[in-house]
Amino acid sequence: MVCGEGPIGAREPLKDVARNLDRWVSAIVARTFLQDTVEELARWSSVPVINALTDRYHPCQALADAFTLTERLGELRGQKLAFVGDGNNVAHSLMLTATRWA
């Protein structure tokens, strides 16, 4: 389901968008620019809100990377991860995810 045109929350208050969506769906997957948008959706929604990508985090990518590493390496505990690239949303999410297997 795709919501209207333009940025989410631009035509209607974000709390109204969240309150309407949670009546129609079992979960909301939000791919937005601002992290605050996802957090605001989660605050006003009664269904789970999944962060598919924001300017600050990209948890779905980090989980996919961890899954791939587990397939290749087996146990991740004790493994070291090097991220080469910009300090962006993927880097932030990988840092948070990697602390789980440290």
Side-chain angles (χ1 to χ4, degrees):
M1 173 181 290
V2 177
C3 293
E5 295 178 17
I8 188 170
R11 293 174 24 157
E12 296 180 339
L14 205 49
K15 71 178 182 178
D16 291 343
V17 172
R19 287 175 175 168
N20 276 291
L21 283 175
D22 73 11
R23 292 181 183 132
W24 303 333
V25 299
S26 299
I28 299 169
V29 179
R31 186 178 173 110
T32 68
F33 179 73
L34 295 175
Q35 176 67 25
D36 292 342
T37 302
V38 172
E39 291 174 10
E40 188 78 0
L41 278 173
R43 183 165 64 144
W44 293 105
S45 175
S46 64
V47 298
V49 175
I50 298 168
N51 177 354
L53 173 121
T54 66
D55 61 328
R56 198 173 309 151
Y57 301 111
H58 197 345
C60 293
Q61 181 65 53
L63 289 172
D65 292 344
F67 181 71
T68 299
L69 289 169
T70 302
E71 284 184 321
R72 297 284 184 157
L73 304 173
E75 175 67 36
L76 295 182
R77 189 164 308 283
Q79 297 289 338
K80 294 179 182 177
L81 176 68
F83 179 82
V84 179
D86 296 335
N88 59 14
N89 54 359
V90 175
H92 294 149
S93 291
L94 281 172
M95 284 188 284
L96 291 170
T97 303
T99 62
R100 298 292 196 172
W101 72 67

